[in-house]
Amino acid sequence: MKNIDSKGHVTGKSIYLDDIPTIQGTLYAAVYSSPSAHGIIQSVDYSKALALFGVEKILTFDDIKGENQIGGIFPDEELLAEKEVHFQGQPIAVVIAKSESIAFKARKLIEIDILEKEVIIDAREAQKKGQLIMPPRIFKSGNLDLAWSVCEYIFEGRASSNGQEHLYLETQGAYAIPLENGNIKISSSTQGPTAVQRAAAKVLDVGMHNIEVDVVRLGGGFGGKEDQATPWAIMAAMGVQILNKPVKLILSRMDDMKMTGKRHPYDSDYKIGLSKDFKILAYEVHFYQNAGAAADLSPAVLGRTLFHATNAYHIPNTRLTAYSCKTNLPPNTAFRGFGGPQGMFVIEAALAHAAKKLKISTHILQKKNLLKTGDEFPYGQIAEGVVLNKLWSDLDSKFDLKAVENRIHNFNQENTYSKKGFSLMPIAFGISFTKTPMNQARALVHIYSDGTVGISTGAVEMGQGVNTKMLQIAASSFGIHPNKVKLETTNTTRVANTSPTAASATADLNGKALLKACTALLERLKNSVAIKFDVNIDNVSFENDLVYIDNVPTEMTWEQLVDQAFLERVCLTENGHYATPIINFDMETQKGHPFAYHVFGLALTEVTVDCLRGTYEFDAVKIIHDFGKSMNPSVDMGQIEGGLVQGMGWMTLEEIRYNKEGRLLSNTLSAYKIPDIYAVPKEIIVYPVETEGSEMAILKSKAVGEPPLMYGIGAYFAIDKAVMAFNPNAKLEMSAPFTAEKVLMGLY
Ligand code: MTE
Ligand code: LUZ
Ligand code: MOS
């Protein structure tokens, strides 16, 4: 089944936030933000802005009826700055005017006086000064001190990875409208409708029942709208609360880039110890996470860095220490992989470092240490259903690693100013929110009396195809044609208390809830058939829009059955609730079983470096991926390709730069380069490996949203190899992204 949104997208008919028809009298908002990265606000002069014709109101913290607080994990973030500002782009006021252009014009007339304070943009510097979001978090396993003493080889180094701009095509925004009795409806481009509802209620000092949040779909989220869609939605809602008129707030691209947080940059010190036969015995890391000016989701992101610090390898003795460092940058946030990729980059850097010193291929070390079923992760979970060795031998038999190595070696012998490199990148990514209580979902199903079906779940469609998967579940459960099923918007009045659409777990959680609701409805309908035909309920099934008895079609259509059931006063609506079983985690001991299952895969990346220019092209990426039993191969394949290229962008082209004053320099699309069609590998081959899947995956179809991003890490190490082929003495720092400039410096 194809993605149900494809046609709407290519014909431009799909509805995004800015396509929602506006109500007459709608006002437009622009956010006024701090020009300084750290300082005390002495005074703000709004008089000139207020005097501009068409300006209705300028909202400040003074207009907040409830709490001026939007911190999701820790209460450390004001919606609108009161006295002190902590990053450039921190919202201070919201100009509300009759048109967007008046709002922007008025914003320019605001004058501010700020007493500047010291600006810190570097994570290590913040840590040295004791600027931490929370105490360091530590994972320990085995006996590290003892392990060092038996290691034959020990290598120490440093690895860093930069942030990443989400660059969803649709910028952040919201449209809030007044309903009766002071109630407010917010259309929001958010991954977390409930998060918006909860925070809005708190800031406006109303109940959650007074706020309705509705989401049609997002033009991409990638984690950037898990927590950070909230402020704009509340600002619009505040406008409604005070002016009783609809208010629309959509960030311009430049505002979005400067006001919102990104993937966390990390700097890390590692120490890795190997036995004589190249088994990793010991691994120690200090991670310095650049959290930005407030916690946002940083503590949870930090957790996932630790969970994935050993990636797809078994390492018996570890000590992993992670610092969440408070700096004067916009609060960094969720981004596809959620800290996992940053952790994986470091172990890959450590292995590449060790291999260089040992004068062997990195993949010898990787292969030797691959995780196996029964191995224990540093956090206590026992690995299950691990297929990494199978993936490796599949890849080897399909592409012949030895032949690849020889071909590249020969090419490099024959060419002076063009060098090739390749890398392998195995992945093991844990599926579930690491905070166990978040792993729950609900779905609401109506069968209308004409046999058509309406579905609401907590899932937000953001391009990943979750609506298509939900529709498949309902249509196949009832044995009816998909055009009889409609996916409703994601709305807090129909499905309440939702977890955000995140952690790649959306289809699993919401799909399981939906399946439960459908199953309950099926039982009732089967019962109705069983009575009518005087057969056993187990002999009834539905297929091809018909009622089947003993697997033989009857004359009775699905519509006739639904009509009959309705007349019999059978309830044709059901709510399903699902909570992932088994999972748990003990924060005291930092041990448990946090993940429902892991997703595995292996990527082979080949690159050619132009050794005169420092530029490079990716010849091919070949992936063997563990889909379990994919319920929609074309949607899932799209996730693999998109995730891969997004990961490669993070590792190669995308370079976020702040100056010492904390000003974002890469604040436009001309200063921030993401992969385009020319940057993608010339060849991408994805081999699905059908595995048993997992009972906790929806229809055994494993989660696919985030894992493929981490294949992109292979790009970094392929380039590294090619550069070393040209200049074996290159002193390369492990510092992503590997931009063409860095390549050139490495070559010469
Ligand atoms: N794919 C598209 N097209 N757009 C997106 O915003 N977000 C990614 C991934 N794939 C995203 C995407 C992220 S960060 C996550 S967590 C998952 O989709 C969320 O959806 P899922 O749980 O349904 O996989
Ligand atoms: N969000 C979250 C996530 O709150 N917890 C998680 O574990 C997570 N993992 C990936 C992406 N978003
Ligand atoms: Mo994805 S980072 O879980 O939104």
Side-chain angles (χ1 to χ4, degrees):
M1 185 172 152
K2 288 195 179 126
N3 189 322
I4 54 170
D5 277 339
S6 305
K7 202 169 170 187
H9 289 353
V10 298
T11 55
K13 286 183 179 148
S14 300
I15 301 273
Y16 295 87
L17 183 77
D18 203 24
D19 302 314
I20 296 172
T22 48
I23 296 168
Q24 204 172 19
T26 292
L27 300 172
Y28 296 83
V31 181
Y32 174 72
S33 69
S34 174
S36 159
H38 195 193
I40 308 289
I41 301 175
Q42 305 291 90
S43 64
V44 195
D45 183 357
Y46 297 109
S47 57
K48 286 186 192 133
L50 281 167
L52 195 72
F53 178 79
V55 173
E56 299 270 316
K57 173 91 191 158
I58 298 181
L59 303 172
T60 68
F61 70 90
D62 260 335
D63 298 297
I64 290 172
K65 301 225 186 319
E67 281 179 62
N68 183 14
Q69 186 47 249
I70 56 166
I73 296 181
F74 298 137
D76 68 346
E77 192 178 356
E78 292 170 346
L79 176 71
L80 296 169
E82 294 189 16
K83 290 198 186 69
E84 192 167 347
V85 284
H86 301 277
F87 65 93
Q88 273 202 33
Q90 181 177 352
I92 294 174
V94 186
V95 182
I96 301 181
K98 287 206 187 324
S99 78
E100 210 168 26
S101 66
I102 296 172
F104 282 120
K105 223 187 253 171
R107 180 171 80 166
K108 285 196 188 138
L109 301 174
I110 298 172
E111 286 163 11
I112 192 162
D113 183 16
I114 292 178
L115 180 68
E116 300 288 338
K117 292 180 77 176
E118 186 197 24
V119 174
I120 300 176
I121 61 165
D122 180 69
R124 282 184 196 259
E125 190 188 339
Q127 191 266 345
K128 274 202 202 92
K129 293 188 168 150
Q131 299 275 344
L132 295 180
I133 297 282
M134 57 174 196
R137 189 167 171 191
I138 302 168
F139 278 17
K140 277 187 239 170
S141 63
N143 186 335
L144 193 72
D145 297 325
L146 198 68
W148 294 128
S149 64
V150 295
C151 287
E152 179 80 13
Y153 311 103
I154 295 177
F155 305 101
E156 285 182 70
R158 184 170 165 173
S160 64
S161 57
N162 202 344
Q164 186 175 22
E165 167 62 47
H166 298 88
L167 223 90
Y168 21 64
L169 282 180
E170 179 196 42
T171 56
Q172 302 272 6
Y175 182 36
I177 60 173
L179 303 175
E180 61 179 9
N181 301 325
N183 297 323
I184 296 173
K185 176 174 174 180
I186 310 174
S187 294
S188 167
S189 178
T190 181
Q191 293 173 236
T194 293
V196 169
Q197 182 193 25
R198 192 188 299 116
K202 184 164 153 184
V203 175
L204 270 56
D205 195 24
V206 298
M208 284 172 76
H209 65 317
N210 296 120
I211 307 281
E212 170 184 350
V213 178
D214 190 83
V215 185
V216 179
R217 65 162 64 73
L218 314 188
F222 305 112
K225 296 169 181 171
E226 181 172 336
D227 220 40
Q228 296 206 359
T230 301
W232 331 108
I234 305 178
M235 289 172 198
M238 268 180 74
V240 172
Q241 186 180 39
I242 287 165
L243 300 166
N244 201 33
K245 285 192 183 150
V247 176
K248 188 163 167 177
L249 195 176
I250 293 186
L251 296 188
S252 69
R253 179 64 67 187
M254 199 187 270
D255 278 355
D256 190 306
M257 289 177 97
K258 94 172 181 201
M259 293 180 189
T260 66
K262 306 166 198 323
R263 181 187 293 287
H264 294 77
Y266 273 69
D267 201 353
S268 311
D269 296 317
Y270 63 79
K271 182 174 173 188
I272 190 165
L274 308 169
S275 69
K276 201 168 179 181
D277 62 347
F278 302 147
K279 280 273 185 198
I280 311 171
L281 297 180
Y283 186 50
E284 184 173 16
V285 193
H286 292 265
F287 293 104
Y288 301 88
Q289 177 201 56
N290 192 330
D296 192 88
L297 291 166
S298 298
V301 170
L302 193 79
R304 210 173 254 280
T305 301
L306 294 172
F307 284 115
H308 294 104
T310 57
N311 187 17
Y313 310 108
H314 176 58
I315 308 182
N317 305 287
T318 62
R319 191 188 301 120
L320 312 163
T321 308
Y323 303 92
S324 183
C325 311
K326 190 170 169 173
T327 60
N328 298 107
L329 300 182
N332 287 315
T333 194
F335 196 134
R336 206 170 192 171
F338 205 73
Q342 291 95 318
M344 292 184 189
F345 178 72
V346 180
I347 181 72
E348 294 303 326
L351 290 174
H353 175 175
K356 269 182 216 173
K357 287 284 158 65
L358 297 169
K359 298 198 175 0
I360 56 169
S361 291
T362 312
H363 69 260
I364 309 253
L365 292 183
Q366 292 173 313
K367 172 95 195 334
K368 192 116 207 163
N369 291 283
L370 282 182
L371 191 74
K372 293 185 296 297
T373 295
D375 287 341
E376 186 175 335
F377 286 102
Y379 49 90
Q381 183 161 343
I382 305 299
E384 288 167 69
V386 186
V387 290
L388 287 159
N389 275 298
K390 173 178 162 44
L391 298 179
W392 195 288
S393 54
D394 281 4
L395 187 110
D396 203 2
S397 64
K398 283 197 165 73
F399 305 116
D400 192 348
L401 283 177
K402 196 77 215 143
V404 171
E405 199 164 15
N406 288 338
R407 174 165 50 76
I408 289 181
H409 180 77
N410 293 340
F411 180 93
N412 289 344
Q413 292 282 300
E414 288 159 14
N415 293 275
T416 310
Y417 289 108
S418 181
K419 299 288 181 190
K420 284 186 190 290
F422 79 102
S423 72
L424 282 142
M425 180 66 203
I427 59 161
F429 193 78
I431 302 303
S432 287
F433 286 95
T434 57
K435 188 174 167 192
T436 301
M438 289 177 79
N439 296 285
Q440 54 169 315
R442 279 157 296 284
L444 179 68
V445 181
H446 300 312
I447 302 176
Y448 294 103
S449 56
D450 69 351
T452 59
V453 175
I455 301 170
S456 298
T457 75
V460 169
E461 175 60 52
M462 51 184 183
Q464 87 280 39
V466 71
N467 278 358
T468 302
K469 290 185 176 177
M470 295 304 107
L471 197 137
Q472 275 181 275
I473 291 167
S476 65
S477 294
F478 297 142
I480 59 176
H481 194 277
N483 69 10
K484 292 197 176 108
V485 185
K486 179 185 171 208
L487 249 296
E488 304 291 351
T489 61
T490 314
N491 186 300
T492 53
T493 65
R494 271 177 271 115
V495 180
N497 306 324
T498 60
S499 289
T501 284
S504 306
T506 318
D508 282 359
L509 297 174
N510 291 275
K512 289 268 187 179
L514 176 59
L515 202 54
K516 277 189 160 182
C518 292
T519 308
L521 286 163
L522 272 178
E523 289 304 303
R524 285 178 216 151
L525 291 171
K526 281 183 184 170
N527 191 47
S528 181
V529 174
I531 292 167
K532 184 177 165 92
F533 292 98
D534 194 19
V535 293
N536 193 308
I537 185 165
D538 298 330
N539 300 6
V540 182
S541 59
F542 306 120
E543 212 62 62
N544 304 318
D545 302 279
L546 291 173
V547 175
Y548 280 55
I549 291 172
D550 295 327
N551 298 319
V552 180
T554 66
E555 294 281 284
M556 190 182 217
T557 64
W558 165 260
E559 282 79 6
Q560 287 165 343
L561 165 61
V562 170
D563 185 51
Q564 169 190 305
F566 175 67
L567 294 175
E568 288 165 355
R569 295 185 288 177
V570 170
C571 174
L572 295 174
T573 287
E574 187 60 41
N575 175 61
H577 171 86
Y578 174 75
T580 314
I582 298 169
I583 54 171
N584 63 78
F585 196 71
D586 181 347
M587 285 298 276
E588 289 290 314
T589 58
Q590 300 286 357
K591 302 271 177 194
H593 188 117
F595 298 118
Y597 57 89
H598 284 79
V599 171
F600 305 101
L602 181 63
L604 167 65
T605 303
E606 290 185 50
V607 73
T608 305
V609 170
D610 177 332
C611 302
L612 287 174
R613 295 175 182 82
T615 53
Y616 43 77
E617 285 189 328
F618 290 94
D619 303 307
V621 177
K622 294 162 184 166
I623 292 169
I624 312 255
H625 186 85
D626 159 28
F627 289 92
K629 304 198 180 310
S630 174
M631 67 179 289
N632 192 318
S634 76
V635 163
D636 287 355
M637 212 58 104
Q639 286 293 296
I640 303 274
E641 292 179 351
L644 165 71
V645 171
Q646 196 167 36
M648 292 178 78
W650 170 53
M651 282 285 116
T652 59
L653 299 171
E654 300 183 37
E655 193 171 27
I656 290 181
R657 281 276 193 100
Y658 291 93
N659 69 9
K660 286 199 295 292
E661 291 75 47
R663 191 169 91 83
L664 180 67
L665 302 174
S666 50
N667 63 352
T668 64
L669 291 185
S670 55
Y672 187 76
K673 179 88 180 102
I674 65 161
D676 57 21
I677 195 67
Y678 302 104
V680 306
K682 290 187 195 134
E683 189 181 18
I684 299 177
I685 301 176
V686 183
Y687 276 102
V689 171
E690 235 200 61
T691 55
E692 237 328 283
S694 159
E695 282 303 332
M696 282 183 269
I698 181 67
L699 305 176
K700 298 196 168 185
S701 176
K702 284 190 166 188
V704 72
E706 293 168 288
L709 182 130
M710 285 149 269
Y711 291 135
I713 295 172
Y716 186 97
F717 296 97
I719 298 174
D720 190 66
K721 286 276 212 47
V723 173
M724 294 295 290
F726 181 81
N727 176 8
N729 301 316
K731 290 262 178 302
L732 296 174
E733 285 175 31
M734 293 292 182
S735 164
F738 217 146
T739 57
E741 291 84 350
K742 277 190 203 156
V743 172
L744 202 60
M745 305 292 255
L747 291 169
Y748 303 97

mmCIF file of all heavy atoms in Angstrom, residues 279 582 687 733 735:
data_model
loop_
_atom_site.group_PDB
_atom_site.id
_atom_site.type_symbol
_atom_site.label_atom_id
_atom_site.label_comp_id
_atom_site.label_asym_id
_atom_site.label_seq_id
_atom_site.Cartn_x
_atom_site.Cartn_y
_atom_site.Cartn_z
ATOM 1 N N LYS A 279 39.985 -7.978 21.296
ATOM 2 C CA LYS A 279 38.687 -7.871 21.981
ATOM 3 C C LYS A 279 38.705 -6.578 22.799
ATOM 4 O O LYS A 279 39.692 -6.290 23.489
ATOM 5 C CB LYS A 279 38.493 -9.054 22.946
ATOM 6 C CG LYS A 279 38.053 -10.314 22.245
ATOM 7 C CD LYS A 279 36.533 -10.327 22.128
ATOM 8 C CE LYS A 279 36.037 -11.638 21.537
ATOM 9 N NZ LYS A 279 34.657 -11.508 21.035
ATOM 10 N N ILE A 582 6.847 -5.449 30.071
ATOM 11 C CA ILE A 582 8.223 -5.877 30.373
ATOM 12 C C ILE A 582 9.181 -4.739 30.729
ATOM 13 O O ILE A 582 9.923 -4.835 31.695
ATOM 14 C CB ILE A 582 8.853 -6.703 29.202
ATOM 15 C CG1 ILE A 582 8.038 -7.982 28.986
ATOM 16 C CG2 ILE A 582 10.319 -7.066 29.485
ATOM 17 C CD1 ILE A 582 8.389 -8.729 27.714
ATOM 18 N N TYR A 687 19.157 -3.599 1.440
ATOM 19 C CA TYR A 687 18.668 -4.972 1.473
ATOM 20 C C TYR A 687 17.889 -5.199 2.747
ATOM 21 O O TYR A 687 18.432 -5.098 3.835
ATOM 22 C CB TYR A 687 19.820 -5.983 1.434
ATOM 23 C CG TYR A 687 20.298 -6.259 0.043
ATOM 24 C CD1 TYR A 687 21.462 -5.677 -0.419
ATOM 25 C CD2 TYR A 687 19.579 -7.101 -0.803
ATOM 26 C CE1 TYR A 687 21.916 -5.923 -1.707
ATOM 27 C CE2 TYR A 687 20.028 -7.355 -2.094
ATOM 28 C CZ TYR A 687 21.185 -6.760 -2.534
ATOM 29 O OH TYR A 687 21.620 -7.002 -3.799
ATOM 30 N N GLU A 733 42.003 15.216 13.609
ATOM 31 C CA GLU A 733 41.163 15.230 14.807
ATOM 32 C C GLU A 733 39.894 14.487 14.451
ATOM 33 O O GLU A 733 39.452 14.523 13.320
ATOM 34 C CB GLU A 733 40.740 16.665 15.142
ATOM 35 C CG GLU A 733 41.792 17.522 15.745
ATOM 36 C CD GLU A 733 41.260 18.943 15.913
ATOM 37 O OE1 GLU A 733 40.040 19.104 16.121
ATOM 38 O OE2 GLU A 733 42.066 19.865 15.818
ATOM 39 N N SER A 735 36.622 15.093 14.475
ATOM 40 C CA SER A 735 35.753 16.234 14.690
ATOM 41 C C SER A 735 34.780 16.381 13.523
ATOM 42 O O SER A 735 35.157 16.800 12.437
ATOM 43 C CB SER A 735 36.631 17.481 14.853
ATOM 44 O OG SER A 735 35.873 18.644 14.695
#
